[in-house]
């Protein structure tokens, strides 16, 4: 049964052709039964009219508008030659339904007008001699008109239903495309966040390791104890960098969150003091001060503050030159946190702070601006009067709208 149903759905024209042959044969048998009562004109005209109506049924889905025009022509020929209605006139109901459901709007309106006119014209052309007055004539006309109206209403309802489902499918497809676009944006944002985190981790810790390694090589023979301390600093810094990189790379692996116990937590404001102490150990003089009353801050603000100080001190070590000193100030306001990181070094060439840098550098400041933009803060970075570099940031407790 399912195979038969699938075959019917795949070959609708064959099904329509079957019904066309059936109606043509039915009309032929009806006219053969009353052949002796037909005029010569009616006999000759009946065959092409029945054939034309059968073609309408067979090709109604392929060309509904053309088949509607053919139906009108066959109906007018029936009226002109007096060919009385038979089974093939059922094609009029079929084409009215088909045009209302699938045809163009002008064809649908033409079909309903033709359906309303069919019954009255039929009553005028073939009047009922046994009729008892106008009331019976009107009643018969109305009864004969109802099937045409119902066929049009059913077809128009199918058109509306199909349009509704098509709209739902289009909306679902549009929502799916929007979800995919949002997913791509979210993936790009997450990749940018991870890239910033990796940049901060690698740039800071590797620079500390390089400074310590150079110092250890310099004092290896003269002061073995100091060289040993430098190597221990390199070891601890390397472990910290690996731990943070594992935490960041862990979010890219499925099922890695269950093993996250070995990863360090996100840095916060309280760890800035440890960061400053680590930088001091690496040989950079840093003055650290806190103003205002320390209090708990949103995690995003704390992470942003830590990374800004980390990047600023890294830039000081990289570009400040020998004997450079830095100062870090954290100021707690009622509505936010202020950061001021300054150094008295020679600083880097201005081109390095442009977008992308002259040699691909300069991404640290770009990352700072992106981080501060995510929490709705402001950043001011540039050379200090008299030499050195200054980074000033204001991080609000609530993101800006």
């Amino acid at each position: 049964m399912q195979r038969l149903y699938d075959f019917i759905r795949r070959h609708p024209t064959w099904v329509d052709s079957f019904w066309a042959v059936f109606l043509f044969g039915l009309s032929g048998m009806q006219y053969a039964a009353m052949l002796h009562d037909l005029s010569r004109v009616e006999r000759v005209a009946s065959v092409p009219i029945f054939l034309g109506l059968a073609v309408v049924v067979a090709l109604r889905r392929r060309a509904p508008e053309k088949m509607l025009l053919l139906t009108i022509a066959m109906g007018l020929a029936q009226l002109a030659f007096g060919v009385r209605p038979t089974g093939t006139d059922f094609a009029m109901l079929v084409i009215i339904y088909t045009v209302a459901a699938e045809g163009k709007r002008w064809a649908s309106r033409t079909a309903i007008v033709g359906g309303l006119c069919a019954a009255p014209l039929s009553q005028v052309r073939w009047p009922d001699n046994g009729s008892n007055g106008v009331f019976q004539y009107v009643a018969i006309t109305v009864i004969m008109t109802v099937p045409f109206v119902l066929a049009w209403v059913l077809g128009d309802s199918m058109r509306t239903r199909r349009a509704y489902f098509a709209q739902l499918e289009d909306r679902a497809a549009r929502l799916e495309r929007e979800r995919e676009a949002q997913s791509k944006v979210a993936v790009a944002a997450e990749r940018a966040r991870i890239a910033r985190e990796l940049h901060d981790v690698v740039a800071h810790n590797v620079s500390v390791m390089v400074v310590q390694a150079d110092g250890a090589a310099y004092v290896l023979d003269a002061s073995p104890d100091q060289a040993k301390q430098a190597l221990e600093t390199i070891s601890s810094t390397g472990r910290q960098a690996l731990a943070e990189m594992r935490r960041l790379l862990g979010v890219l692996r499925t099922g890695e969150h269950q093993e996250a116990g070995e990863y360090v937590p996100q840095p916060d404001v309280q760890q800035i003091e440890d960061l400053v102490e680590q930088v001091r150990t690496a040989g950079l003089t840093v003055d650290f001060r806190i103003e205002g009353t320390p209090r708990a801050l949103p995690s995003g603000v704390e992470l942003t503050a830590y990374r800004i100080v980390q990047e600023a001190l890294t830039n000081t070590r990289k570009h400040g030159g020998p004997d450079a000193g830095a100062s870090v100030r954290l100021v707690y306001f009622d509505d936010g946190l202020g950061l001021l990181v300054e150094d008295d070094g020679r600083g880097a060439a201005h081109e390095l702070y442009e977008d992308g840098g002259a040699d691909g550098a300069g991404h640290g400041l770009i990352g700072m601006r992106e981080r501060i933009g995510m929490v709705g803060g402001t950043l001011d970075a540039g050379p200090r009067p008299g030499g050195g570099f200054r980074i000033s940031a204001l991080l609000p407790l609530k993101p800006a709208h």
Side-chain angles (χ1 to χ4, degrees):
M1 193 65 182
Q2 184 63 33
R3 292 183 178 179
L4 176 61
Y5 179 71
D6 294 338
F7 176 82
I8 291 174
R9 291 191 62 183
R10 290 195 304 268
H11 304 88
T13 304
W14 289 23
V15 178
D16 293 338
S17 299
F18 168 80
W19 288 112
V21 173
F22 175 79
L23 292 177
F24 182 79
L26 179 63
S27 299
M29 288 188 294
Q30 288 178 338
Y31 257 60
M34 54 182 181
L35 190 61
H36 59 280
D37 296 331
L38 303 178
S39 64
R40 185 172 180 277
V41 174
E42 193 173 358
R43 293 176 186 175
V44 174
S46 61
V47 175
I49 290 175
F50 295 161
L51 185 61
L53 293 175
V55 170
V56 168
V57 176
L59 302 180
R60 66 185 183 91
R61 304 192 209 205
R62 288 183 174 271
E65 292 83 8
K66 294 179 180 179
M67 293 301 102
L68 175 65
L69 297 178
L70 179 59
T71 302
I72 294 174
M74 294 298 101
L76 294 177
Q78 274 190 276
L79 294 174
F81 297 108
V83 179
R84 281 168 277 190
T86 58
T88 51
D89 287 286
F90 185 77
M92 297 181 181
L93 294 175
V94 174
I95 196 61
I96 287 176
Y97 164 81
T98 304
V99 170
E102 303 177 6
K104 299 179 180 179
R105 280 299 179 184
W106 68 264
S108 177
R109 289 191 287 267
T110 303
I112 186 59
V113 172
L116 294 175
C117 296
L121 292 176
S122 177
Q123 286 293 298
V124 172
R125 184 65 177 83
W126 296 281
D128 187 1
N129 296 329
S131 177
N132 297 322
V134 178
F135 177 77
Q136 186 175 356
Y137 169 80
V138 172
I140 294 175
T141 302
V142 170
I143 292 174
M144 294 177 61
T145 304
V146 168
F148 294 96
V149 175
L150 291 178
W152 185 88
V153 170
L154 181 60
D156 192 69
S157 299
M158 288 298 298
R159 176 197 292 271
T160 304
R161 184 179 179 86
R162 289 171 182 170
Y164 174 72
F165 280 115
Q167 184 180 10
L168 290 181
E169 291 177 356
D170 180 70
R171 184 181 301 174
R174 186 168 61 253
L175 290 175
E176 183 65 24
R177 290 193 296 270
E178 291 177 358
R179 279 195 296 269
E180 291 178 359
Q182 292 174 356
S183 299
K184 291 179 180 179
V185 170
V187 169
E190 182 66 13
R191 287 177 177 175
R193 185 189 70 81
I194 294 173
R196 288 195 298 270
E197 293 286 326
L198 287 174
H199 172 273
D200 294 339
V201 170
V202 173
H204 170 72
N205 290 289
V206 171
S207 63
V208 171
M209 294 166 66
V210 170
V211 171
Q212 292 291 325
D214 290 341
Y218 182 76
V219 299
L220 181 60
D221 296 329
S223 179
D225 293 338
Q226 189 174 354
K228 180 180 179 181
Q229 183 180 1
L231 292 175
E232 291 176 353
T233 302
I234 292 174
S235 177
S236 62
T237 303
R239 287 192 180 94
Q240 180 183 356
L242 287 175
E244 291 201 32
M245 291 181 67
R246 285 185 186 135
R247 174 180 59 79
L248 292 173
L249 297 177
V251 301
L252 301 178
R253 302 190 182 99
T254 304
E256 196 78 15
H257 301 287
Q258 287 79 5
E259 304 174 5
E262 61 177 298
Y263 303 144
V264 298
Q266 291 278 20
D268 54 21
V269 173
Q270 295 179 356
Q271 296 184 34
I272 293 180
E273 188 171 359
D274 298 334
L275 173 65
V276 171
E277 188 61 31
Q278 183 185 37
V279 173
R280 288 171 178 166
T281 305
L284 180 65
T285 303
V286 182
D287 178 33
F288 178 60
R289 286 182 294 169
I290 298 178
E291 299 179 7
T293 304
R295 62 183 182 277
L297 300 173
S299 58
V301 172
E302 296 206 1
L303 176 61
T304 300
Y306 181 90
R307 292 305 187 194
I308 290 175
V309 174
Q310 184 183 53
E311 179 64 25
L313 295 177
T314 300
N315 288 339
T316 299
R317 285 199 308 271
K318 290 168 61 177
H319 308 300
D323 301 326
S327 64
V328 178
R329 289 176 56 195
L330 271 65
V331 183
Y332 285 88
F333 298 105
D334 293 337
D335 57 351
L337 176 68
L339 296 174
L340 179 63
V341 184
E342 296 179 304
D343 66 71
D344 55 6
R346 64 169 180 253
H350 179 71
E351 291 76 9
L352 289 178
Y353 297 105
E354 298 293 337
D355 186 8
D359 59 351
H363 292 292
L365 286 178
I366 296 174
M368 286 187 194
R369 297 189 187 280
E370 291 179 353
R371 286 184 180 279
I372 291 179
M374 292 175 62
V375 297
T378 57
L379 175 69
D380 182 21
R384 289 177 59 211
F389 203 79
R390 170 189 292 158
I391 294 177
S392 176
L394 179 61
L395 308 178
L397 295 182
K398 294 182 180 179
H401 293 286

